[in-house]
Amino acid sequence: MNNKNKPKTISDSDIFPISKDEMIQLILDNIPSRIFWKNRDSVYLGSNRLFAEDAGVGSAPEILGKTDHDLAWKKTEADFFIETDQKVMDRGESELGIIEPQKHADGKESWLETNKVPLKNEEGEVIGILGTYSDITERKQIFEDLKQKNRDLELKNKELEQFAFVASHDLQSPLHTIINYIDLFQSENKKELSQEGQLYFNFIKDASVRMKQLITGLLEYSRIGHDIKLETVDSRIICENVIQDLQSLIQEKNATIQIDELPSVMASPTELRMLFQNLIENALKFSKSDIPCEIDISHSDKNRYMQFTISDNGIGIDPQFEDKIFIIYQQLHSNSTYGGNGIGLAHCKKILDTFGGKIWLDKNYKSGAKFHFTIPK
């Protein structure tokens, strides 16, 4: 046989230009996480370079034979590490995602996310422990900063809501007085007032009533979410009660309302009632004048939450105003045409925020307006 065609034998030295032990150590040293392993007595049998640097020893091989008390950690840290080791080895079960502080050899303190796994031989006996960890100091700092910002934001929101409550409450009384005196003045001076004078007073009264409605809306908005208790509520019964209360408007609009078999949800009965009332009232208010109003109320189960849908065949909403409609006092139509104060959908959004849900406009629906909202189970 020609030697040229003879298969070449590959030796270990061809595969590993360095020894197998050196290759394994090289691989470990290039892994971005810290890695170490110990025997049953929590004595180190090896580690990678990153761990050795944290521990304050010259190189990974120098870790051999040491315990945590021989390394750069504080005594309390060393005691905690060994205690966790023993727990993992005694139970034979892994401890994952352990969040713990650590002081490094250079004096820097950091936060770690550690995983410890029992090392078992072929017979299933625990002979040691394998550990890995990553430095999450930056991530934890970002998390703590976000928590503080959330606390600050919650405080500011409470202050703002308290201000809105006090301001709107205190403004009710003088407005009530203005409206009463306008009525009284017009009644007592009806003959003396010119037609133009009566018109001016009507303008003042209409503006005062409008302002009173806005303030009442603001007061109601500021109260949403205060001291509410979530409980199991039959949403169909709530919806039927709302429809009963709106019978006069339903008859006026010659409306037909179709209700699905709605589920029970975790909610506040008062807020859930306000939610359905605002959405159904909007559908009735913004119906077309030339055709009977049709409203459909349905739901679907989405595993983690219930999704409700309320659709109508009214004038609809341009998708470009999707974000605007949920902002308090934002109106797309003139008050003289459709009435209202532009606060209904803002109420809906805030109510669902307190439930942990959300609400949105179906931009693909072209036959009127369709809203979806979710409530967690």
Side-chain angles (χ1 to χ4, degrees):
M1 182 176 179
N2 192 327
N3 287 336
K4 280 186 176 182
N5 297 324
K6 187 176 180 180
K8 182 180 178 182
T9 301
I10 300 176
S11 64
D12 285 350
S13 60
D14 293 320
I15 300 174
F16 298 104
I18 55 177
S19 71
K20 288 183 180 180
D21 288 343
E22 288 175 322
M23 177 60 75
I24 291 171
Q25 187 64 53
L26 182 63
I27 292 171
L28 291 172
D29 288 345
N30 281 277
I31 294 175
S33 295
R34 280 71 169 169
I35 303 171
F36 59 87
W37 55 101
K38 308 175 186 178
N39 64 15
R40 283 286 315 200
D41 297 320
S42 287
V43 175
Y44 282 95
L45 302 178
S47 77
N48 68 349
R49 176 181 53 81
L50 287 177
F51 179 84
E53 290 174 357
D54 286 353
V57 296
S59 62
E62 293 180 46
I63 205 85
L64 185 64
K66 289 182 168 56
T67 71
D68 286 298
H69 289 111
D70 301 318
L71 303 178
W73 333 133
K74 298 175 183 177
K75 183 181 183 305
T76 53
E77 292 174 342
D79 291 340
F80 174 77
F81 297 154
I82 293 171
E83 181 185 344
T84 310
D85 292 346
Q86 292 304 317
K87 187 191 300 183
V88 171
M89 290 186 286
D90 291 343
R91 292 179 179 176
E93 298 176 353
S94 302
E95 283 273 346
L96 305 177
I98 307 167
I99 307 299
E100 55 193 6
Q102 183 184 79
K103 184 172 182 179
H104 299 264
D106 58 6
K108 184 183 74 172
E109 293 190 358
S110 61
W111 283 90
L112 315 175
E113 183 173 2
T114 304
N115 302 303
K116 291 188 175 183
V117 180
L119 285 175
K120 299 180 180 180
N121 60 19
E122 293 181 356
E123 288 75 35
E125 298 171 330
V126 177
I127 59 172
I129 189 169
L130 170 68
T132 66
Y133 68 81
S134 299
D135 190 323
I136 61 166
T137 305
E138 184 176 353
R139 191 172 80 197
K140 186 172 177 61
Q141 186 59 53
I142 292 171
F143 177 72
E144 292 299 326
D145 290 345
L146 284 174
K147 278 176 62 178
Q148 184 58 50
K149 286 178 181 177
N150 281 337
R151 285 192 291 266
D152 294 342
L153 187 58
E154 285 175 7
L155 181 61
K156 293 295 182 186
N157 281 339
K158 285 179 181 178
E159 290 175 352
L160 186 59
E161 287 176 358
Q162 183 64 22
F163 170 77
F165 176 82
V166 172
S168 56
H169 183 271
D170 290 349
L171 285 171
Q172 294 272 20
S173 181
L175 271 174
H176 187 67
T177 302
I178 291 170
I179 294 168
N180 283 343
Y181 272 102
I182 289 173
D183 286 338
L184 183 61
F185 187 87
Q186 284 182 301
S187 176
E188 291 182 351
N189 298 276
K190 190 173 183 180
K191 294 180 179 179
E192 288 80 6
L193 277 174
S194 65
Q195 190 174 9
E196 189 178 34
Q198 285 282 6
L199 183 63
Y200 290 158
F201 271 101
N202 287 337
F203 283 152
I204 295 170
K205 182 179 176 180
D206 289 345
S208 300
V209 170
R210 168 75 175 152
M211 183 177 288
K212 192 173 188 300
Q213 290 173 344
L214 291 173
I215 291 170
T216 301
L218 180 60
L219 187 60
E220 291 173 352
Y221 185 80
S222 68
R223 284 173 173 166
I224 293 174
H226 279 276
D227 302 321
I228 67 166
K229 293 181 180 178
L230 302 184
E231 58 185 82
T232 303
V233 183
D234 188 327
S235 62
R236 183 178 176 87
I237 291 177
I238 294 287
C239 196
E240 287 174 345
N241 289 339
V242 167
I243 291 171
Q244 187 63 39
D245 291 343
L246 294 173
Q247 274 304 308
S248 176
L249 184 57
I250 290 170
Q251 290 173 10
E252 178 189 325
K253 297 290 185 177
N254 192 23
T256 302
I257 302 179
Q258 179 67 38
I259 310 176
D260 191 6
E261 287 297 326
L262 302 181
S264 294
V265 291
M266 288 298 295
S268 160
T270 303
E271 268 78 6
L272 186 62
R273 182 186 179 91
M274 189 185 298
L275 173 66
F276 274 114
Q277 181 166 326
N278 281 327
L279 290 171
I280 295 172
E281 218 167 10
N282 266 9
L284 291 167
K285 185 198 305 183
F286 297 106
S287 59
K288 293 178 179 177
S289 58
D290 55 340
I291 59 172
C293 176
E294 294 179 1
I295 301 170
D296 184 74
I297 304 170
S298 60
H299 89 285
S300 55
D301 191 325
K302 299 293 183 179
N303 297 322
R304 290 183 300 166
Y305 52 85
M306 289 294 182
Q307 179 171 308
F308 294 79
T309 300
I310 298 182
S311 59
D312 62 59
N313 64 339
I315 63 174
I317 300 172
D318 193 319
Q320 67 174 310
F321 299 119
E322 180 185 13
D323 295 328
K324 183 179 180 182
I325 59 177
F326 296 108
I327 300 173
I328 190 169
Y329 295 145
Q330 293 292 315
Q331 291 179 280
L332 304 184
H333 308 281
S334 69
N335 185 57
S336 60
T337 305
Y338 290 100
N341 54 21
I343 202 170
L345 289 175
H347 271 165
C348 294
K349 184 178 184 306
K350 189 173 181 184
I351 289 167
L352 286 164
D353 286 344
T354 65
F355 293 168
K358 61 179 182 178
I359 183 170
W360 67 97
L361 174 71
D362 190 329
K363 292 184 287 188
N364 298 317
Y365 188 69
K366 306 299 182 185
S367 303
K370 178 186 280 189
F371 286 95
H372 303 286
F373 66 88
T374 58
I375 299 177
K377 289 183 179 178

